Amino acid sequence: MTGTASAPLLSIEHLTIALPPGADRTHALREVSLQVRRGEVMCVVGESGSGKSMLAHAITGLLSAGVHRAGGRILFEGNDLGSRSAEQMRALRGSDISMIFQEPLSALNPLMSIGRQIEETLQVHHVLSGRRARAARAARVIELLGLVGLPEPLVLRHAYPSTLSGGQRQRVLIAIALALEPALLIADEPTTALDVTTQAKILDLIAQVQRARQMGVLFITHDFGVVAEIADRVAVLEHGVLVECGEARQVLNAPCHPYTQQLLDAVPHGRFASRAASRDDTPLLKVEHLHKHYPARRPAEFSPWRRRAVVPALDDVSFSLHRGETLGIVGESGSGKSTLARALLRLGHLNAGRIVFEQVDITALTERQLRPLRHHIQMVFQDPFASLNGRQKVGAIVASGPIAQGLPRADAHRRALELLALVGLSAAAADRYPHQFSGGQRQRISLARALALEPKILVADEAVSGLDVSVQAQVIELLHEVQQRMGLSLIFITHDLRIAAQICDRIAVMRAGRIVEIGEVAQVFEAPRHPYTRQLIEASPGRRAPVLSSPAIVECV
């Protein structure tokens, strides 16, 4: 993918971004310089809070209030973006510079259908504008939804963001960003929420558009498997400082800086968990023949008198979970993983089936009867920004559950500080609001909140997907330690098969609402019985990367 043009498309020169008073540090970025050429993929890696997203926001002119550029220049096609007016930057965004945001639920308008949001991009930039072009815009919307791998674009264009899975919403954002085929694409963790097969398709799609347009790509990611597959060059940020920048082969195989080596050492190794789950004869949780369906969305031209079809989200799902066991749930976006997670917490109506917790059928309980049992099953949601109350400080968020269960307020806040330290956040984090943290830090807050009630079962829905590799390793180790101390049972939903192999005792593979394969980790990964399981394994990031010789990244399930 190496670019052929000598002049840089984007040139960042000694960029310094100052943070407001009271922040963790004085500057988000300090003296950062790098270039992106046409037809080149520059991957930016670093821990959560290292300044990766701040770099993207500085380029696009989307810095938050109180954050400002304190020095340096950002040149796009030789022109200083700092000299452009707000109106000129709005015209530039989307047409010449597009960005894929990290959190799709907060980036999409919940009151507009996804088709209308894609079409709006074309209208705002006067592409296919006017009444006569309405059909052409609709055709382009359908084409883009198909390109990013969304099923039934004719039907799905009428859907709203709340009806889509996290991975499907991310694909909508990618479709919007690619709608005008920009010269520079800034991708802020664009494949974090995607399953491995969709991730491979999206990476291929970005590469295809890049080659056709000689597009420059600034790709922010924590997944070194993705870096290995797509990067021409790699930039490593640590606490806002660029510590290493060079060709992908050199940085990944022979890093010069200790921090880069530390990140590579934390990459999930994909080796099977060697620990055995402590099981008794009676399962802690037993799921029997769960069925859940939604009414299918249909195009406007369908007759309103026709019987509406249904889409099965869960189709005869059964499994058991023992004390101290970790059960992994893997599968593509839309396969029913998150629907299953919500069902286990009784967050929604089931059409059929039973969920038996400690010999009690919780599906037969009223909400009042269920309330005393709720603290036994807690969940870490996939989208931390949407699941945290933006009006509450972090300390109050973590303490709210124990307070509701009767713990004295002082004790609950003391416990909150202990849990924040446990997940790698300082005591000062308790007095800040969720929007003041990076995506990875917010996920750690969500984990602390879930652990505050000392549950017997923790349902982790992509709990580490938004975290950089070093924090992933810390959280995985943390979950294991908590499991050992509390006898916690874990349902671990993930699209990263390397992590699933490392942390889980058993694996259940879901497709189209059904469990197509379930078994011990070694059996599922070494001798998969179902073709779909083999497809997921082959699509794991890093397997297609010829650039690597580092065993830490090459070794995969």
Side-chain angles (χ1 to χ4, degrees):
M1 293 186 189
T2 305
T4 57
S6 57
L9 175 67
L10 176 74
S11 183
I12 298 173
E13 301 175 353
H14 307 290
L15 180 63
T16 299
I17 302 295
L19 291 171
D24 289 340
R25 58 179 188 263
T26 58
H27 293 85
L29 298 171
R30 188 186 293 273
E31 292 285 333
V32 171
S33 297
L34 58 85
Q35 295 179 342
V36 180
R37 306 182 186 94
R38 296 182 187 275
E40 176 186 59
V41 177
M42 165 68 81
C43 280
V44 180
V45 298
E47 290 183 291
S48 178
S50 63
K52 305 187 301 294
S53 295
M54 194 68 72
L55 176 64
H57 293 162
I59 296 168
T60 53
L62 297 175
L63 292 174
S64 302
V67 180
H68 66 278
R69 188 168 66 179
R73 298 194 306 165
I74 302 174
L75 304 177
F76 176 70
E77 294 183 329
N79 299 312
D80 187 357
L81 296 182
S83 64
R84 290 179 177 257
S85 65
E87 184 177 349
Q88 289 173 327
M89 285 301 298
R90 279 194 297 271
L92 190 71
R93 286 192 296 264
S95 58
D96 296 311
I97 302 176
S98 277
M99 182 166 172
I100 305 169
F101 292 92
Q102 183 176 0
E103 291 171 332
L105 194 63
S106 58
L108 293 171
N109 187 335
L111 302 180
M112 292 175 63
S113 68
I114 60 171
R116 182 69 188 91
Q117 294 188 57
I118 299 173
E119 189 176 346
E120 184 182 51
T121 302
L122 303 173
Q123 285 182 301
V124 166
H125 292 281
H126 308 292
V127 177
L128 304 174
S129 59
R131 289 185 178 180
R132 294 181 180 179
R134 181 174 297 176
R137 290 198 302 269
R140 177 62 173 159
V141 168
I142 293 168
E143 178 189 6
L144 286 165
L145 291 176
L147 277 174
V148 296
L150 286 167
E152 301 185 46
L154 275 171
V155 176
L156 205 66
R157 62 176 173 157
H158 300 286
Y160 288 81
S162 61
T163 66
L164 304 180
S165 69
Q168 289 172 325
R169 287 193 289 262
Q170 188 65 282
R171 281 181 274 177
V172 172
L173 280 187
I174 294 170
I176 293 173
L178 295 179
L180 300 176
E181 297 184 349
L184 175 65
L185 177 67
I186 301 173
D188 188 0
E189 301 279 7
T191 58
T192 292
L194 302 182
D195 53 80
V196 289
T197 53
T198 303
Q199 184 180 71
K201 293 175 184 176
I202 293 300
L203 294 178
D204 289 341
L205 171 62
I206 292 176
Q208 176 186 346
V209 176
Q210 180 205 29
R211 286 191 296 266
R213 290 268 301 169
Q214 278 295 290
M215 182 173 66
V217 178
L218 186 69
F219 199 102
I220 296 170
T221 183
H222 64 263
D223 192 327
F224 278 92
V226 172
V227 173
E229 288 193 11
I230 68 169
D232 295 308
R233 291 191 299 137
V234 180
V236 183
L237 285 173
E238 181 186 20
H239 301 308
V241 177
L242 186 68
V243 297
E244 186 162 358
C245 186
E247 297 296 321
R249 184 179 298 275
Q250 179 270 312
V251 173
L252 296 177
N253 292 322
C256 299
H257 198 276
Y259 178 68
T260 309
Q261 185 62 58
Q262 175 187 331
L263 293 179
L264 290 170
D265 290 342
V267 172
H269 49 66
R271 292 185 291 272
F272 307 136
S274 58
R275 56 192 175 85
S278 57
R279 302 182 186 176
D280 52 28
D281 294 334
T282 305
L284 177 65
L285 181 75
K286 194 170 184 180
V287 174
E288 300 176 343
H289 309 293
L290 291 192
H291 289 265
K292 169 73 176 177
H293 59 69
Y294 297 100
R297 292 276 175 180
R298 53 182 189 185
E301 61 266 20
F302 277 24
S303 168
W305 290 278
R306 289 187 182 181
R307 185 177 179 181
R308 295 192 71 174
V310 295
V311 176
L314 297 176
D315 187 5
D316 197 25
V317 171
S318 299
F319 64 87
S320 61
L321 179 72
H322 292 77
R323 297 182 189 275
E325 180 187 27
T326 300
L327 175 66
I329 309 288
V330 301
E332 290 182 293
S333 176
S335 64
K337 304 188 304 294
S338 293
T339 301
L340 175 60
R342 290 192 295 270
L344 297 177
L345 275 77
R346 278 281 305 271
L347 300 178
H349 169 71
L350 284 170
N351 297 102
R354 299 200 315 155
I355 302 172
V356 180
F357 171 71
E358 291 189 327
Q359 308 301 309
V360 177
D361 181 5
I362 64 174
T363 57
L365 300 180
T366 65
E367 181 58 39
R368 186 172 184 177
Q369 292 170 328
L370 181 65
R371 194 172 296 126
L373 299 177
R374 281 201 176 276
H375 73 280
H376 291 309
I377 306 177
Q378 291 294 301
M379 183 169 175
V380 181
F381 292 90
Q382 181 176 357
D383 192 332
F385 190 80
S387 65
L388 297 174
N389 188 339
R391 296 183 177 183
Q392 280 190 308
K393 291 183 178 180
V394 165
I397 290 173
V398 177
S400 59
I403 291 172
Q405 292 291 326
L407 190 68
R409 190 173 296 272
D411 293 341
H413 282 285
R414 190 179 307 111
R415 173 69 174 155
L417 294 178
E418 293 173 357
L419 287 167
L420 290 173
L422 193 65
V423 298
L425 295 174
S426 65
D431 292 321
R432 295 165 61 188
Y433 291 92
H435 74 271
Q436 297 175 291
F437 294 88
S438 68
Q441 290 170 324
R442 284 194 286 265
Q443 192 61 285
R444 282 183 273 175
I445 294 167
S446 296
L447 179 59
R449 179 182 61 179
L451 294 175
L453 290 170
E454 299 186 353
K456 294 182 179 180
I457 298 175
L458 182 66
V459 181
D461 187 2
E462 300 284 5
V464 298
S465 65
L467 305 180
D468 52 78
V469 289
S470 58
V471 179
Q472 269 186 357
Q474 294 167 14
V475 171
I476 289 170
E477 182 61 29
L478 168 64
L479 287 172
H480 181 56
E481 290 175 2
V482 170
Q483 225 176 355
Q484 296 299 306
R485 186 172 68 247
M486 299 171 58
L488 187 71
S489 298
L490 181 62
I491 295 177
F492 193 84
I493 298 171
T494 182
H495 64 264
D496 193 325
L497 302 186
R498 297 165 301 179
I499 295 177
Q502 186 173 336
I503 193 174
C504 297
D505 302 300
R506 289 190 299 144
I507 296 287
V509 182
M510 291 193 71
R511 185 183 191 187
R514 297 182 66 89
I515 292 180
V516 298
E517 183 165 355
I518 186 168
E520 301 293 329
V521 171
Q523 178 268 308
V524 171
F525 286 118
E526 291 182 338
R529 295 188 297 268
H530 199 279
Y532 178 66
T533 308
R534 292 193 290 271
Q535 179 185 342
L536 290 180
I537 293 171
E538 288 300 318
S540 296
R543 291 181 68 92
R544 305 182 299 170
V547 73
L548 285 177
S549 62
S550 172
I553 304 175
V554 172
E555 183 176 15
C556 186
V557 296

